[in-house]
Amino acid sequence: MQELLRKGLQEHGHTVMTTGDGTLAAELALEHTFDVIVLDIGLPGMNGYEVAQILRTRNNRALILMLTAFDQEEDVVHGLNLGADDYLKKPFSFSELLARVRSLTRPVVDLPPTLLQMENLIVDLTLHTVHREGKLVPVTRTEFLLLQYLMEHSPHIVPRKALMESIWGVERDAGRGTLDTLMNGLRNKIDVPFQHPFIHTVRGAGYYVGKKLLEK
């Protein structure tokens, strides 16, 4: 499968490096600069989870598309918790993998204004960075898109379905736990280290960014 994917990606204009060993994969990723890393979970030497964890610990910002033979949602959630940006369950078609790679590498469209700000929370749509209280908050591409969508629609409540479609598209059937994992990860970076939260949940309705609404 590795050889077929390598040939297919090269035929579509991508420069590709491959390895079938997890330890070597981590070394390659740290020694070279990649736009996307297609990372299989079931690797010898070091599994895909361990590779993803090492890369994110070392602040490697390459986008990670994780391949999994597991069909349990908790396996997908675990990968996202470790910093994966997207996932693809086996078996899959090459056209689907290619579409995911294109989706990950598609530039984020900048709409005026180029800065989204809410008090001391600043999202820069040009540099694709997030700051709170003047501190850079490291977020994944998926977390960035999630926060951007929420801030662009603030103070309105955004339904879960709309959030999922903004990240994965209408045709994607991402599990409930996938969005929950992303939101929890975003909260741990944007809210937990600071005095008051910006991201709020309205049970049965969705999420919003802003001051907490008074609950009846």
Side-chain angles (χ1 to χ4, degrees):
M1 184 181 71
Q2 173 185 295
E3 184 61 15
L4 289 173
L5 294 182
R6 183 187 67 80
K7 289 182 178 179
L9 290 168
Q10 286 180 335
E11 289 174 358
H12 284 79
H14 296 284
T15 301
V16 184
M17 295 181 67
T18 63
T19 179
D21 181 87
T23 303
L24 291 177
E27 293 176 359
L28 280 175
L30 293 173
E31 291 173 1
H32 301 272
T33 300
F34 295 97
D35 296 316
V36 177
I37 296 174
V38 180
L39 182 61
D40 200 321
I41 291 177
L43 292 173
M46 185 184 295
N47 66 42
Y49 293 137
E50 294 171 315
V51 175
Q53 186 172 29
I54 287 176
L55 297 186
R56 293 315 188 214
T57 301
R58 300 284 186 88
N59 294 319
N60 186 292
R61 306 306 299 161
L63 300 166
I64 296 177
L65 172 60
M66 189 162 278
L67 305 181
T68 174
F70 306 110
D71 58 3
Q72 297 298 315
E73 190 169 301
E74 54 264 30
D75 296 307
V76 174
V77 166
H78 185 48
L80 293 172
N81 274 330
L82 293 175
D85 296 278
D86 200 357
Y87 65 93
L88 190 56
K89 294 181 181 180
K90 299 177 184 178
F92 57 84
S93 66
F94 175 74
S95 59
E96 184 178 9
L97 180 136
L98 187 62
R100 297 290 178 81
V101 171
R102 287 172 174 166
S103 177
L104 283 172
T105 56
R106 184 173 59 238
V108 178
V109 178
D110 295 336
L111 299 174
T114 57
L115 289 181
L116 299 174
Q117 183 169 358
M118 182 171 294
E119 297 181 20
N120 56 29
L121 176 63
I122 301 175
V123 175
D124 190 317
L125 302 183
T126 301
L127 299 177
H128 301 159
T129 56
V130 178
H131 286 79
R132 183 161 184 191
E133 294 185 3
K135 300 176 181 178
L136 178 65
V137 180
V139 295
T140 67
R141 180 182 185 275
T142 307
E143 289 169 342
F144 181 89
L145 293 175
L146 193 63
L147 181 60
Q148 176 185 348
Y149 194 84
L150 285 170
M151 290 191 69
E152 286 177 341
H153 291 79
S154 179
H156 303 293
I157 298 170
V158 180
R160 292 176 59 91
K161 183 178 179 181
L163 273 175
M164 296 171 74
E165 290 179 355
S166 73
I167 301 299
W168 293 293
V170 177
E171 73 286 352
R172 183 71 180 278
D173 183 22
R176 179 183 180 89
T178 303
L179 180 60
D180 292 338
T181 296
L182 287 171
M183 291 301 300
N184 288 336
L186 190 58
R187 281 182 163 127
N188 286 335
K189 296 175 180 180
I190 299 297
D191 288 342
V192 172
F194 302 95
Q195 290 186 348
H196 68 275
F198 277 119
I199 303 173
H200 305 285
T201 303
V202 179
R203 184 170 298 180
Y207 302 93
Y208 70 95
V209 171
K211 294 182 179 180
K212 186 172 180 59
L213 300 174
L214 295 177
E215 299 180 355
K216 296 181 179 179

